[in-house]
């Protein structure tokens, strides 16, 4: 894990840092505070379709014959709940309903960029359950979360070439930029959470003050663009306290990071050859539940994130499109 995290620290952090530096300059600020990180420097927030269910038909029809069949089946059987209504919890998930052999997609869809990305994410999870519904052994239909999140985060990127069906043409560059910025800056943040956990579990004698100091040090190393100076809580090295995973599911958070790296690898492959990337994605789904993370991704044709040089190579490839 250290090789992976060091690769992120040395190769990916400078790129993420450049992104926020570019944003700071575009907005004309002296310091980009944490609450400004999400301001869209394109001037206008992307405005996705309000009718995402219907409009995604074209996305999945053009993406592949398999997603076309899956999505039409999902719509026909009405296995979804996207409506925003009073009393409905805000959140999203895809749950496999074994009795009907169908995934159920739940989201409180509010037509924001985040909601659109989440819809692609959850329908990506749903596609995995749909593909696996014929498995004779139920455990082969499930898999570890590092792999499961490739199904969803991978789908978030695989729909990129078809975004014209769900976004106004002029909003697409801003949407892609925001998506990529979030994906890239999440990886170092997730690594900081992982290193932090390793340290505090190795040293249970650390005092609260020492833990806060450690987090501040890791924040500077992994997220040097982040400024909390005006925040009396987060500014004191307490940001990790909002990450409930650290309290409830130690060492789990890195799964999202590994999946995000693989999703970006898949995206790079998709830009070179859609056929190749789609085959790779289908293989990841097929192999999930039969082998461990590393075996699945490498057998499907992606490089292992743990191998030396992989993060550097990925950083170079994604940098051109965004920095
Ligand atoms: Zn997910």
């Amino acid at each position: 894990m250290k090789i992976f995290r060091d690769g992120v620290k040395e190769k990916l952090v400078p790129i993420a840092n450049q992104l926020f530096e570019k944003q700071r300059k575009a907005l004309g600020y002296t310091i980009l505070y944490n609450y400004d990180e999400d301001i869209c420097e394109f001037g206008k927030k992307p405005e996705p379709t309000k009718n995402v269910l219907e409009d995604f038909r074209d996305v999945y029809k053009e993406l592949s014959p398999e997603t076309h069949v899956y999505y039409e089946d999902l719509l026909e059987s009405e296995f979804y709940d996207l409506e925003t209504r009073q009393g409905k919890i805000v959140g999203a998930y895809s749950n496999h309903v074994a009795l009907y052999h169908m995934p159920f997609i739940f989201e409180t869809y509010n037509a924001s960029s985040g909601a659109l990305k989440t819809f692609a994410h959850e329908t990506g999870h749903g596609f995995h359950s749909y593909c696996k519904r014929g498995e004779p052994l139920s455990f082969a239909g499930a898999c570890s979360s590092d792999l499961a999140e490739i199904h969803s985060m991978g789908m978030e990127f695989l729909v990129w070439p078809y975004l014209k069906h769900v976004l106004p043409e002029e909003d697409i560059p801003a949407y892609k930029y925001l998506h990529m910025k979030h994906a890239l800056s999440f990886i170092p943040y997730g690594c900081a959470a992982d290193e932090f956990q390793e340290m505090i579990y190795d040293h249970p004698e650390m005092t609260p003050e020492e833990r806060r100091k450690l987090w501040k040090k890791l924040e500077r190393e992994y997220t040097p663009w982040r400024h909390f100076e005006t925040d009396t809580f987060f500014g004191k090295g307490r940001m990790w306290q909002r990450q409930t995973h650290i309290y409830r599911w130690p060492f789990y958070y890195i799964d999202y990071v590994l999946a995000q790296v693989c999703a970006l690898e898949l995206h790079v492959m998709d830009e070179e050859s859609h056929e190749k990337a789609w085959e790779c994605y289908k293989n990841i789904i097929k192999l999930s539940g039969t082998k461990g993370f590393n075996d699945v991704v490498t057998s499907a044709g992606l490089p292992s994130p743990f191998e030396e040089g992989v993060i550097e190579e990925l950083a170079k490839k994604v940098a051109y499109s965004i920095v």
Side-chain angles (χ1 to χ4, degrees):
M1 200 57 82
K2 192 173 179 312
I3 291 178
F4 171 72
R5 289 196 310 242
D6 286 348
V8 169
K9 219 184 276 186
E10 283 161 29
K11 307 297 174 191
L12 211 63
V13 169
I15 292 173
N17 205 34
Q18 276 182 58
L19 279 176
F20 288 100
E21 187 52 15
K22 195 173 150 203
Q23 182 181 354
R24 183 191 66 77
K25 284 188 186 149
L27 293 169
Y29 295 168
T30 322
I31 296 175
L32 186 79
Y33 284 109
N34 65 309
Y35 45 77
D36 289 328
E37 283 179 17
D38 280 339
I39 293 183
C40 183
E41 60 267 42
F42 280 78
K44 176 181 161 286
K45 275 188 183 171
E47 288 178 11
T49 173
K50 289 189 171 53
N51 198 5
V52 72
L53 269 173
E54 188 56 34
D55 292 347
F56 242 78
R57 271 196 143 123
D58 291 327
V59 173
Y60 279 142
K61 188 175 170 186
E62 283 179 29
L63 174 56
S64 74
E66 295 91 338
T67 46
H68 179 47
V69 170
Y70 150 65
Y71 196 68
E72 288 303 314
D73 207 1
L74 192 80
L75 289 198
E76 204 187 322
S77 17
E78 297 183 18
F79 268 70
Y80 53 79
D81 176 1
L82 294 184
E83 189 191 16
T84 309
R85 58 180 181 273
Q86 212 176 6
K88 183 176 165 182
I89 194 168
V90 176
Y93 61 79
S94 164
N95 209 356
H96 187 65
V97 187
L99 182 64
Y100 298 103
H101 306 288
M102 282 296 286
F104 187 90
I105 309 294
F106 179 97
E107 188 183 346
T108 322
Y109 183 81
N110 65 1
S112 64
S113 325
L116 182 66
K117 191 177 80 168
T118 301
F119 187 70
H121 182 105
E122 300 307 342
T123 48
H125 281 308
F127 182 64
H128 163 251
S129 331
Y130 189 80
C131 293
K132 288 284 197 174
R133 62 192 191 152
E135 289 283 348
L137 300 170
S138 63
F139 68 81
C143 66
S144 53
S145 51
D146 40 17
L147 287 169
E149 294 306 317
I150 307 179
H151 311 150
S152 52
M153 289 174 170
M155 191 63 99
E156 290 175 18
F157 281 109
L158 286 166
V159 300
W160 267 29
Y162 319 102
L163 287 173
K164 65 176 187 291
H165 300 299
V166 285
L167 272 164
E169 205 83 50
E170 64 275 18
D171 289 357
I172 294 176
Y175 175 85
K176 287 183 174 176
Y177 180 80
L178 285 171
H179 184 176
M180 187 57 95
K181 191 172 81 172
H182 280 140
L184 284 179
S185 55
F186 171 70
I187 294 171
Y189 170 74
C191 285
D194 189 63
E195 191 171 332
F196 179 74
Q197 289 176 87
E198 200 174 296
M199 291 292 284
I200 59 168
Y201 283 99
D202 276 352
H203 300 280
E205 73 282 1
M206 281 174 85
T207 62
E209 181 54 29
E210 284 169 337
R211 287 199 284 264
R212 288 196 287 273
K213 267 195 190 145
L214 169 65
W215 180 261
K216 279 189 102 164
K217 173 185 161 288
L218 294 173
E219 239 171 18
R220 277 193 302 277
E221 288 171 10
Y222 284 104
T223 54
W225 60 86
R226 195 149 283 164
H227 288 278
F228 288 123
E229 288 87 335
T230 53
D231 194 305
T232 53
F233 189 80
F234 292 147
K236 291 196 166 62
R238 290 175 177 274
M239 180 70 171
W240 66 273
Q241 289 186 279
R242 68 177 273 285
Q243 205 61 66
T244 45
H245 300 73
I246 295 174
Y247 293 98
R248 300 185 63 186
W249 305 284
F251 301 109
Y252 164 66
Y253 206 63
I254 198 72
D255 284 11
Y256 292 112
V257 181
L258 297 173
Q260 185 69 87
V261 169
C262 292
L264 283 167
E265 294 282 4
L266 206 55
H267 169 64
V268 169
M269 194 189 272
D270 196 33
E271 298 231 300
E272 286 162 12
S273 159
H274 174 67
E275 285 70 29
K276 199 173 155 201
W278 184 243
E279 275 311 306
C280 176
Y281 179 77
K282 281 194 296 183
N283 278 331
I284 291 173
I285 285 185
K286 197 166 139 194
L287 296 169
S288 293
T290 67
K291 302 167 192 253
F293 173 83
N294 230 25
D295 287 338
V296 171
V297 295
T298 52
S299 311
L302 286 185
S304 161
F306 301 112
E307 243 168 70
E308 203 141 10
V310 165
I311 294 295
E312 181 175 7
E313 196 59 29
L314 178 68
K316 274 192 219 150
K317 284 179 181 163
V318 289
Y320 80 93
S321 67
I322 186 146
V323 179

